[in-house]
Amino acid sequence: MKNKLILIILSLYTSFVTAQNLPAAYSIMDMKTGNYYESYNSTAQRPIASLTKLMTAYVFLRYIPDLENCITNITQEDNDNIKRTNTKLDKYEPISCKKLLQTMLISSDNGAAHALARSIPNLSYNGFIKLMNEQAREWSMLNTQFVDSSGLSPKNISTVNNLNMLLYQ
């Protein structure tokens, strides 16, 4: 499973870099040992787009591990004001956090990512983003910065080496 995830992430990252006409960046890492076999531009910071959603999922699950008893909804707050994408989910209808998480990860739904980030009791959306950045620092992802939960902002940045640290957890 982890190998499939690595290939998916590498594919997403490669597609984004190609679309932005950025020089290639990659690394080949042994996930069992953490040793690198080969790398190229692996310390160059780049926008990470939907890969941001992986950290959103991790932080959300850390605070809400019981998805069966978590219900929230999509609201106007969850609108994408950057690229104007639309969610396929109904607004203002109760929805399980499990379905939001699945929709965010499988369909890369930006509204679902935002709704999850504001669904932790007693935590603001900005507080959630702060937790994402704190988690990155805890994992020594020192060249990574999150400014939103969906990856829409080009200010969500990381390096190939830092993304490997995310996968290695």
Side-chain angles (χ1 to χ4, degrees), residues 53-86:
K53 291 178 177 84
L54 294 176
M55 184 64 87
T56 298
Y58 179 85
V59 170
F60 179 80
L61 289 169
R62 192 168 147 203
Y63 288 88
I64 308 287
D66 182 9
L67 293 177
E68 300 304 321
N69 294 313
C70 177
I71 304 291
T72 191
N73 58 39
I74 300 282
T75 70
Q76 287 297 117
E77 286 181 74
D78 305 317
N79 287 346
D80 165 12
N81 296 318
I82 296 175
K83 294 187 179 180
R84 308 279 189 236
T85 60
N86 294 313

Side-chain angles (χ1 to χ4, degrees), residues 93-108:
E93 295 294 324
I95 186 167
S96 74
C97 292
K98 181 177 182 178
K99 180 165 180 153
L100 278 176
L101 189 63
Q102 290 169 334
T103 304
M104 177 187 73
L105 292 173
I106 295 169
S107 301
S108 195

Side-chain angles (χ1 to χ4, degrees), residues 90-130:
D90 293 330
K91 287 188 178 168
Y92 303 106
E93 295 294 324
I95 186 167
S96 74
C97 292
K98 181 177 182 178
K99 180 165 180 153
L100 278 176
L101 189 63
Q102 290 169 334
T103 304
M104 177 187 73
L105 292 173
I106 295 169
S107 301
S108 195
D109 190 289
N110 300 314
H114 196 280
L116 286 170
R118 63 169 184 73
S119 295
I120 297 175
N122 304 312
L123 185 68
S124 68
Y125 180 80
N126 288 336
F128 187 90
I129 303 306
K130 183 178 177 187

Side-chain angles (χ1 to χ4, degrees), residues 133-152:
N133 285 302
E134 287 173 1
Q135 187 62 59
R137 299 300 162 266
E138 186 177 313
W139 287 340
S140 298
M141 296 172 65
L142 303 179
N143 295 311
T144 299
Q145 175 185 333
F146 298 103
V147 298
D148 72 39
S149 61
S150 64
L152 286 169

Side-chain angles (χ1 to χ4, degrees), residues 148-167:
D148 72 39
S149 61
S150 64
L152 286 169
S153 172
K155 293 179 182 175
N156 290 309
I157 56 171
S158 190
T159 66
V160 171
N161 284 352
N162 276 196
L163 292 173
N164 283 341
M165 290 177 196
L166 173 63
L167 294 176

